[in-house]
Amino acid sequence: MLERTCIIHTFQEFPSFILRIPQGRFSVAAECVNHAKISESYVTHGLRHSPNFVRQKHSNMIRFNPVVKVSGFARVQSVRLSEKTMAKTAVAHGFLTNIADVTLFIMRVARETFSRRFEFNEFMRQCFQIGNKSLPLISVTGIIMGLVLTIQSRPALIRFGAVTLLPGMVAVSLIREMGPVITALICAGKIGSGMGAELGSMKVTEQIDAMEVSSTNPMRFLVVTRVLAATIMVPLLILYADALGIAGSWVGANLKGDVTFFLFFSQAFSHIRFSDFLPAVIKSFFFGAVIGLVGCYKGYNAGRGTESVGIAANSAVVLASLLVIIVDMIAVQVTDMLF
Amino acid sequence: MKPEQPVTKAEKTPGIIGNEPVIAISKLRKSFGKQEVLHDVSLKLMNGENLVVLGKSGSGKSVLIKCIVRLLFSDGGTVSVFGKNVMTLNDEELSEVRQKIGFLFQSSALYDSMTVRQNLEFPLRRIWRGLSEKNIEDKVHEVLENVGLADALNKMPSQLSGGMRKRISLARTIIVDPLVMLYDEPTTGLDPVTSDEISILINEVQKKYKTSSIIITHDIRCARSTANRIIMLRDGVVYSEGNVTDYEKTTDPVIKSFFQ
Ligand SMILES: Nc1ncnc2c1ncn2[C@@H]1O[C@H](COP(=O)(O)OP(=O)(O)OP(=O)(O)O)[C@@H](O)[C@H]1O
Ligand SMILES: [Mg+2]
């Protein structure tokens, strides 16, 4: 439908406003014209009519057809509605294309993972990189996590008269939830952004193309190795953070009380069941995979030009963090059903 | 001292017979969205020939050679390399074709995370699998000397200047003795002396390994010294074709502005 924007600035009551009306329909203005002193002619059907003509025509219309009064309003609303629909269609289209894109990417990664040649050296290098880069950060966070959790839950446990359960409670909450999620979020920031930026800049500076022409499959060499490395290293980092968290918790417990390390640990572990441990470990593999996949997807599909590197890194972090939380929610539901 | 020449892919491949074109492109079309970059490009690269491609910035020269190795898919027309249409090959066949083609990227495209040595070894280890460490070492030194950067062996790409990167990139391309070389602006950003050296190197590579090359350049000196034939791209088509003297004699203002 052809549309034209008609500017009517003729009203004393209203300063001026813009109506978008379909070509050749000037009845829209009828309702307004009725009250208005039209000071300027305005264009309809591509013709310039005198104000008097317009006024005459519209007062006739209104006299004979009261529906005209509302029709203008309705039409403007419907035009607005169709614009909104268009915008939403575009969003939906983009969203679905993205989903298809991501699915294809994951399928390609899966296919290449089980293909003949595995880039073992690069895989090991990536494992080392991921572990090495994140270790200090994870260590600090792990200890503080345990420490803070202990200090915070102590008063409440005292209130319930259950302070002896402190080590067990902290250990269970660390292992089931706090350790995996917080570590995964940190890894999403550290590893996800690293991958997004690295692959993004390789893409922008044609390094991925260069790899491809020296008969190396960049998907296999760059993406598969990184995704697998993240899938394996993130759970290890999570276990490491859990352990440090419990150690930090012991420090926290000793601030106000006096308990030996061994006693604390044995108390802590006596409350941990296999069913606390296993689901947490399983979900941390998923966290790792999600972080690796998102980082690589964003980097590998970076646009042209240097600014897309930053965009890739940034959106990798955002999406990976979000997905970690969503995966966690799903994992909790599934665990709840199974265990 | 010349290092012992390893058995190369090039030697294993049966020679290309007679005057068959190595690369034959016909009616190639390529657009990005609404922007049509290549409209109808047809050209042939004969065996052992240096073909220089001229053209304004943005005329689609890089796109053209990327289509040859299928880094970009064409929208129409055929691109055949060694008699095979690259657009329809499967991954395995494509990889086989790519192994015989050297591609020098306009942006150098050195791997940032690797040293110069690792950069050079990368294609070597992947294209000629099962080469001894000694051969690899020799080969790396040989090409580095060829481009005059023997002392850069253990540097990272970020420690090199733009021109040095270009030369390392060139070394990385010629290290596997490809049958066909695609040079995307090999001398851009180099001083005249080095750029002449690169031109000489290109000619040497051509003679020594009997390569056929497509050389994209804006550098008329380089074009003069390397070209057997020159084509010019303009508005997505091959605008003109001829040898150096043809181009020098022409009165066409478009070409003249290139060859003042
Ligand atoms: N991957 C791509 N996506 C979108 N547009 C592209 C892409 N690659 C190239 N183009 C466009 O195609 C046109 C030709 O680009 P190309 O890189 O081939 O130019 P060129 O002839 O090599 O120029 P120069 O001499 O500056 O390198 C440019 O307008 C560029 O914007
Ligand atoms: Mg170019």
Side-chain angles (χ1 to χ4, degrees):
Chain A
M1 182 167 68
L2 259 168
E3 280 177 12
R4 193 176 53 211
T5 304
C6 215
I7 302 173
I8 308 173
H9 39 149
T10 55
F11 308 103
Q12 288 171 337
E13 298 93 328
F14 318 105
S16 71
F17 65 89
I18 297 173
L19 274 181
R20 182 176 283 201
I21 56 173
Q23 169 123 31
R25 309 275 181 106
F26 64 165
S27 56
V28 181
E31 184 196 5
C32 312
V33 171
N34 204 24
H35 312 284
K37 295 193 174 62
I38 299 176
S39 58
E40 277 180 30
S41 64
Y42 72 103
V43 181
T44 50
H45 297 275
L47 296 172
R48 191 167 279 272
H49 293 286
S50 75
N52 270 338
F53 172 82
V54 175
R55 188 176 305 138
Q56 186 59 49
K57 185 153 172 98
H58 283 294
S59 37
N60 285 344
M61 278 172 80
I62 287 173
R63 197 171 321 129
F64 299 124
N65 185 5
V67 177
V68 168
K69 281 192 178 176
V70 270
S71 76
F73 175 73
R75 199 166 293 120
V76 174
Q77 287 301 318
S78 78
V79 168
R80 274 201 203 126
L81 201 66
S82 76
E83 269 170 10
K84 269 191 199 160
T85 321
M86 298 274 271
K88 287 215 173 109
T89 316
V91 170
H93 184 256
F95 180 70
L96 290 179
T97 322
N98 257 342
I99 288 189
D101 225 34
V102 171
T103 316
L104 283 178
F105 185 81
I106 293 174
M107 272 163 55
R108 258 185 88 189
V109 173
R111 202 180 56 219
E112 298 293 347
T113 307
F114 299 107
S115 64
R116 269 181 308 141
R117 271 200 206 115
F118 182 65
E119 305 278 355
F120 189 75
N121 289 342
E122 179 66 11
F123 167 71
M124 289 311 279
R125 201 176 76 84
Q126 286 306 323
C127 285
F128 175 73
Q129 288 262 322
I130 290 176
N132 193 28
K133 262 198 246 161
S134 335
L135 209 56
L137 196 61
I138 301 286
S139 310
V140 174
T141 328
I143 291 179
I144 293 181
M145 199 163 56
L147 190 74
V148 168
L149 190 62
T150 311
I151 297 173
Q152 290 279 45
S153 17
R154 193 186 188 91
L157 286 179
I158 288 177
R159 227 177 296 147
F160 300 135
V163 77
T164 46
L165 289 180
L166 184 68
M169 196 220 78
V170 170
V172 169
S173 49
L174 272 181
I175 285 175
R176 283 186 78 122
E177 192 59 32
M178 300 272 292
V181 172
I182 292 186
T183 313
L185 286 178
I186 290 176
C187 288
K190 185 83 188 163
I191 302 170
S193 70
M195 285 178 181
E198 191 183 9
L199 293 192
S201 73
M202 288 187 81
K203 171 90 179 196
V204 168
T205 56
E206 298 182 315
Q207 291 174 52
I208 292 184
D209 285 348
M211 231 164 235
E212 209 164 314
V213 293
S214 42
S215 61
T216 301
N217 184 335
M219 205 68 186
R220 206 178 295 160
F221 187 82
L222 298 171
V223 176
V224 169
T225 52
R226 280 170 172 74
V227 172
L228 280 186
T231 311
I232 288 174
M233 292 310 285
V234 169
L236 289 181
L237 287 171
I238 287 175
L239 287 182
Y240 172 74
D242 287 347
L244 282 186
I246 293 175
S249 167
W250 172 71
V251 175
N254 264 331
L255 291 179
K256 287 260 173 73
D258 188 18
V259 49
T260 65
F261 193 64
F262 278 109
L263 184 62
F264 188 86
F265 251 62
S266 63
Q267 275 203 11
F269 279 103
S270 68
H271 287 92
I272 298 171
R273 304 229 179 81
F274 190 61
S275 61
D276 292 325
F277 194 70
L278 186 68
V281 170
I282 294 176
K283 82 177 168 191
S284 53
F285 279 101
F286 281 97
F287 290 162
V290 160
I291 293 169
L293 278 172
V294 169
C296 290
Y297 174 77
K298 288 290 178 186
Y300 200 81
N301 292 304
R304 289 150 51 81
T306 34
E307 82 278 4
S308 44
V309 178
I311 295 172
N314 188 345
S315 56
V317 177
V318 174
L319 190 59
S321 313
L322 186 69
L323 284 180
V324 161
I325 292 185
I326 292 176
V327 167
D328 185 52
M329 187 189 70
I330 297 171
V332 167
Q333 297 290 334
V334 172
T335 313
D336 203 40
M337 281 193 296
L338 295 182
F339 291 90
Chain B
M1 187 189 74
K2 270 262 127 177
E4 187 191 347
Q5 197 56 45
V7 180
T8 70
K9 251 284 143 18
E11 283 163 26
K12 279 195 244 159
T13 322
I16 297 143
I17 329 117
N19 247 356
E20 287 284 292
V22 185
I23 295 175
I25 297 174
S26 84
K27 298 199 162 53
L28 177 65
R29 274 191 300 112
K30 177 73 192 170
S31 319
F32 294 101
K34 289 207 181 75
Q35 179 197 10
E36 190 173 50
V37 178
L38 300 178
H39 176 64
D40 174 2
V41 175
S42 303
L43 63 86
K44 281 186 177 143
L45 177 70
M46 301 316 240
N47 194 12
E49 178 190 37
N50 278 350
L51 174 67
V52 166
V53 178
L54 295 176
K56 270 201 332 206
S57 184
S59 56
K61 307 180 295 298
S62 302
V63 171
L64 172 69
I65 60 168
K66 279 184 183 168
C67 285
I68 294 174
V69 287
R70 209 173 89 184
L71 282 174
L72 293 171
F73 276 93
S74 67
D75 295 340
T78 55
V79 178
S80 72
V81 182
F82 307 119
K84 292 179 189 144
N85 185 355
V86 288
M87 296 300 161
T88 56
L89 295 181
N90 65 25
D91 287 357
E92 205 109 305
E93 295 165 324
L94 178 67
S95 160
E96 217 163 89
V97 169
R98 279 174 174 171
Q99 289 180 3
K100 299 176 199 155
I101 302 179
F103 196 115
L104 175 69
F105 284 87
Q106 187 171 0
S107 61
S108 298
L110 293 182
Y111 307 127
D112 291 328
S113 56
M114 304 183 194
T115 63
V116 166
R117 178 203 290 269
Q118 287 165 335
N119 260 289
L120 295 177
E121 285 175 353
F122 189 88
L124 208 53
R125 288 185 194 278
R126 272 153 200 287
I127 294 181
W128 300 344
R129 284 173 192 277
L131 218 56
S132 74
E133 289 300 316
K134 166 125 195 352
N135 277 338
I136 291 178
E137 181 82 26
D138 289 345
K139 198 72 192 150
V140 167
H141 281 286
E142 183 196 332
V143 288
L144 270 184
E145 256 154 48
N146 275 341
V147 296
L149 280 174
D151 50 348
L153 189 60
N154 292 315
K155 290 204 170 120
M156 296 302 284
S158 54
Q159 295 170 301
L160 303 175
S161 74
M164 287 161 93
R165 264 187 250 173
K166 193 113 226 179
R167 283 189 280 162
I168 298 294
S169 176
L170 180 58
R172 187 181 67 182
T173 314
I174 59 178
I175 197 167
V176 286
D177 301 345
L179 291 173
V180 175
M181 286 289 308
L182 307 173
Y183 300 95
D184 199 344
E185 309 197 0
T187 57
T188 310
L190 298 181
D191 59 283
V193 179
T194 322
S195 126
D196 284 350
E197 281 168 17
I198 297 290
S199 304
I200 292 167
L201 187 66
I202 290 174
N203 284 330
E204 267 177 12
V205 169
Q206 180 200 15
K207 286 204 195 78
K208 193 161 152 199
Y209 303 117
K210 307 242 174 332
T211 53
S212 331
S213 320
I214 293 182
I215 304 157
I216 292 176
T217 188
H218 300 293
D219 178 1
I220 297 305
R221 278 160 67 99
C222 172
R224 280 206 179 93
S225 64
T226 55
N228 300 125
R229 191 155 60 95
I230 301 179
I231 63 168
M232 182 180 274
L233 275 190
R234 195 175 137 88
D235 299 332
V237 297
V238 175
Y239 179 75
S240 59
E241 179 181 343
N243 57 26
V244 180
T245 38
D246 295 340
Y247 274 79
E248 273 165 352
K249 276 191 291 193
T250 185
T251 50
D252 187 318
V254 176
I255 300 176
K256 267 200 138 157
S257 58
F258 261 88
F259 268 81
Q260 330 93 342

